[in-house]
């Protein structure tokens, strides 16, 4: 099992994939793509994002409330993740 999670987006959804789970949540329809991970801090991601008609800008994703709403054991799920990378197919 890898200790690396994957962040991507597709149309109006962001995907956070780890350990066989694909957690999808709604995002801006103007998001073109995530470009660079700045920081991963146990469920909190600072990421650079490119939006239609704008330069790259810093964004913040807090996975904790999303995971709680999906009834995940947040600490158990996040604990093994050491790195997040961006991947588009």
């Amino acid at each position: 099992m890898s200790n690396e999670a994957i962040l991507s987006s597709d149309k109006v959804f962001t995907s956070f994939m780890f350990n066989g789970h694909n957690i999808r949540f709604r995002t801006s329809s103007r998001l073109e793509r995530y470009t660079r991970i700045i920081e991963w801090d146990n469920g909190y991601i600072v990421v650079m994002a490119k939006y239609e008609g704008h330069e790259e800008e810093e964004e913040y994703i807090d996975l904790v409330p999303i995971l709680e709403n999906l009834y995940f054991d947040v600490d158990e799920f996040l604990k093994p993740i050491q790195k997040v990378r961006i991947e588009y197919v």
Side-chain angles (χ1 to χ4, degrees):
M1 178 174 82
S2 172
N3 59 0
E4 186 175 70
I6 298 170
L7 182 72
S8 66
S9 60
D10 180 28
K11 299 180 184 172
V12 296
F13 290 98
T14 289
S15 290
F16 183 85
M17 294 170 273
F18 181 71
N19 197 22
H21 296 279
N22 184 3
I23 296 142
R24 292 172 41 112
F25 47 95
R26 194 157 177 80
T27 191
S28 169
S29 61
R30 298 185 62 103
L31 175 66
E32 291 179 359
R33 66 188 299 112
Y34 295 111
T35 57
R36 183 168 39 109
I37 302 291
I38 304 291
E39 180 180 355
W40 163 253
D41 184 15
N42 200 36
Y44 191 73
I45 307 168
V46 181
V47 63
M48 295 302 289
K50 173 71 176 92
Y51 288 90
E52 185 179 305
H54 295 279
E55 297 295 319
E56 263 189 329
E57 54 188 79
E58 197 169 273
E59 285 294 332
Y60 310 93
I61 300 170
D62 187 356
L63 292 172
V64 172
I66 295 166
L67 293 169
E68 287 173 342
N69 285 338
L70 294 171
Y71 301 102
F72 273 78
D73 180 329
V74 175
D75 293 331
E76 183 179 315
F77 181 76
L78 296 175
K79 188 177 186 175
I81 302 172
Q82 295 179 354
K83 180 181 179 184
V84 177
R85 69 179 162 91
I86 295 169
E87 181 178 294
Y88 287 93
V89 180

